[in-house]
Each structure stands twice: as structure tokens, then as C-alpha cells.
Amino acid sequence: MNYSEIEIVLQEVPGEISICFSITGCGVQCKGCHSSFLWNKHNGTKLTEEVYKSILTKYNGFASCVLFMGGEWCLNELTNYFKIAKNLGFKTCLYTGETEIPKKLKVELTYLKTGPWVESLGGLNSKKTNQKFIEVQTNQILNHLFLKN
């Protein structure tokens, strides 16, 4: 599993300061994708467990959530990374263009964003979006948190 970048983000998971890992190799390849550089799995740098743990340790106590933009195509590795994050006290979130993910992965998540990008429908900040931001334990859709009043 390769990552393109690691950032601290504030808007992708409402109410959380998230460590965001952008993973390369996305097979969904949505038309109009703003991150098409993530399609090639050979782009980026290998995310080793050592690097991953050092990033989580560095931001533990500051960030509250670990967010992966993609990576579900590396099921076992991603599942393990979410388990590590949970054991360190982080909430977990996956952004995927898929509409469903394997249960093995889903049980490790606090939040899940599903659905491909469809330009005419917009993203989570659009009332007509096809995408869903879900609190996994309750299965509650939290899209309203992205809408401006």
C-alpha cells in the first residue's frame, strides 16, 4: 500500500482533527475526480507499519481520528492499520468511492464515506449527493453535518 501524502485535516470528519492518509491505487476512477493522481498504485511511497505507527504516535493527543482516503483494495493491510489506530485510542474513518465494503473492514470503522463522485450530484456538501457519510455503529447518515445553513 502506497500513500501520496499524509495531512492533518479538519473538515473531512466533522468534529474531529484527522490524520489523513491518501492511498494510491484507486480502481473506482470517477469521472471528474479531483485526485486522479491516486489512481496509479505505483505512485507515492510505501506505507510501512513503522512509518504508520510513528505518525500516529507523533499526533496522539492532538488528532482524534485516523482517516484513509481509499485503500480498501488492500483489505488485510488497511484492516490492520485501523486496528492499530483503535488500539491507540483514535476514531477511524474510510472515504471510499465504493458503495459497499467488506464487513471485516467495516467493523474497524467509526465513520465511513461511501459513493463515487458524480459531478452533477456533488459531494457531501450537496443535498442531492449520492454519497453517504455514516456513523458505522448506529448506521446513522450524517450528511447534514456537511451542509451550510
Side-chain angles (χ1 to χ4, degrees), residues 9-139:
V9 297
L10 305 174
Q11 296 179 340
E12 284 74 5
V13 184
E16 307 293 342
I17 298 171
S18 300
I19 307 167
C20 179
F21 295 85
S22 295
I23 305 301
T24 64
C26 181
V28 180
Q29 301 185 2
C30 304
K31 181 180 179 186
C33 174
H34 62 72
S35 302
S36 60
F37 58 91
L38 295 176
W39 295 357
N40 185 337
K41 70 180 180 179
H42 301 293
N43 287 346
T45 305
K46 173 87 173 136
L47 181 59
T48 65
E49 194 168 309
E50 181 181 349
V51 167
Y52 180 71
K53 286 180 177 178
S54 72
I55 295 293
L56 270 56
T57 300
K58 178 179 179 179
Y59 292 105
N60 200 349
F62 171 72
S64 55
C65 186
V66 172
L67 166 63
F68 276 77
M69 297 287 192
E72 66 277 5
W73 45 88
C74 300
L75 180 61
N76 293 332
E77 198 171 2
L78 185 60
T79 300
N80 181 54
Y81 285 157
F82 280 131
K83 285 180 182 181
I84 291 168
K86 284 172 59 177
N87 286 335
L88 291 172
F90 289 97
K91 294 177 183 174
T92 55
C93 182
L94 172 65
Y95 266 51
T96 177
E98 301 289 351
T99 55
E100 293 290 329
I101 61 166
K103 184 177 181 179
K104 171 183 179 176
L105 180 56
K106 196 171 189 176
V107 299
E108 302 303 332
L109 297 175
T110 309
Y111 303 104
L112 173 64
K113 192 285 296 177
T114 61
W117 166 256
V118 178
E119 187 174 8
S120 63
L121 300 177
L124 291 171
N125 61 349
S126 168
K127 288 183 180 179
K128 60 183 181 173
T129 188
N130 61 300
Q131 298 179 330
K132 295 178 184 174
F133 187 83
I134 304 161
E135 182 181 39
V136 174
Q137 187 174 7
T138 63
N139 206 34

Side-chain angles (χ1 to χ4, degrees), residues 14 133 142-148:
F133 187 83
L142 301 176
N143 286 30
H144 65 278
L145 298 175
F146 294 88
L147 300 175
K148 293 182 180 177

